[in-house]
Each structure stands twice: as structure tokens, then as C-alpha cells.
Amino acid sequence: MADCIFCKMVNKEVPAQAVYEDEEILAFKDINPVAPVHVIIIPKKHITDATQLKSEDAGLIGRIYLAAVQIAKELGLEENGFRLVNNCKVDGGQEVFHLHFHLLGGHKLGLFV
Ligand code: AMP
Ligand code: ZN
């Protein structure tokens, strides 16, 4: 997607502070963190939001979850835990329309953050 900031990060046209990368997943530090650890985890392929997921994406979503747990462990969140969040569309608070998950942790989170 030409105008998608996260696709540009996948294509290295926009810099990312990457913390994890494989063939189909990229994870990077959020530019505006709301917790001591705030990582954005995305599929490299452009999926606009969770409503666009197809049955063939089930494995990808499972691998994203496993990558999130691995990153959480590497960033010291295993003992006290973390939150993995997907904001979907306007009512969900989505601002970047490329499917992504927020990995949040490093202190006790309130209901929203
Ligand atoms: P959402 O509201 O769920 O769409 O979240 C989008 C997130 O992407 C926000 O937390 C932004 O701070 C983050 N974000 C936007 N642009 C960048 C960027 N260039 N690098 C890192 N994080 C970004
Ligand atoms: Zn995209």
C-alpha cells in the first residue's frame, strides 16, 4: 500500500526501531509510547484492520501472538506480564490502518493504559 506508514517501515522507506523481524512479521518501538515498554507488532503484508482477516491468516495471527510473547520475554516482561491490544477501526481507536498489535508493559496498566 503506497500511502501506508507501516508498509513504508516494512520496505525501509521510513526508519523503524526494530525489536523483532522475520519473513512475515515486524515489531518496532512505538514512536509515542504510553508505557515503559510499548512495541508495535505488524504483519508485513498489508491488512487494513482486523475485520479484513481471512481464514488463511489464522496461522499468521498465531505466529504474531507467539512473537509478542517472545518479545515480551526478551524485554523483561515475563514475570509481571503485559497487555496485547488491537484497536479496530474508528470506535476501537485505530489511527494507522495497517493491522497491528500494541505490546504494553513495564508497569501496572490501568483499564485503558
Ligand atoms: P492505533 O491508534 O492503534 O492505530 O496505533 C497506532 C500507533 O502507531 C500509535 O501508538 C502511534 O504512536 C504509532 N506510530 C505511528 N507512526 C509511527 C512510527 N513512524 N513509528 C513508530 N510508531 C508509530
Ligand atoms: Zn500497510
Side-chain angles (χ1 to χ4, degrees):
M1 280 278 288
D3 276 342
C4 172
I5 180 102
F6 287 176
C7 282
K8 287 182 178 169
M9 292 167 88
V10 169
N11 295 328
K12 317 269 191 226
E13 295 162 31
V14 166
Q17 272 191 281
V19 297
Y20 176 90
E21 182 168 11
D22 66 26
E23 314 82 57
E24 57 180 359
I25 298 166
L26 177 66
F28 49 87
K29 292 188 178 171
D30 196 291
I31 201 167
N32 186 23
V34 297
V37 174
H38 188 171
V39 171
I40 299 290
I41 306 167
I42 67 171
K44 286 187 171 177
K45 79 167 179 175
H46 184 90
I47 300 169
T48 304
D49 61 64
T51 70
Q52 300 304 305
L53 285 165
K54 299 181 167 46
S55 56
E56 62 256 33
D57 298 318
L60 170 64
I61 296 305
R63 289 187 288 279
I64 287 175
Y65 212 110
L66 290 169
V69 172
Q70 181 183 321
I71 295 161
K73 289 178 176 175
E74 288 170 2
L75 296 179
L77 303 182
E78 184 170 11
E79 185 175 348
N80 285 342
F82 58 87
R83 183 177 294 164
L84 192 64
V85 182
N86 167 245
N87 297 329
C88 181
K89 291 190 165 176
V90 175
D91 281 2
Q94 186 175 5
E95 292 179 352
V96 176
F97 290 89
H98 179 131
L99 180 72
H100 57 278
F101 296 83
H102 297 253
L103 173 64
L104 299 162
H107 68 193
K108 178 100 171 93
L109 298 161
L111 181 57
F112 296 110
V113 284

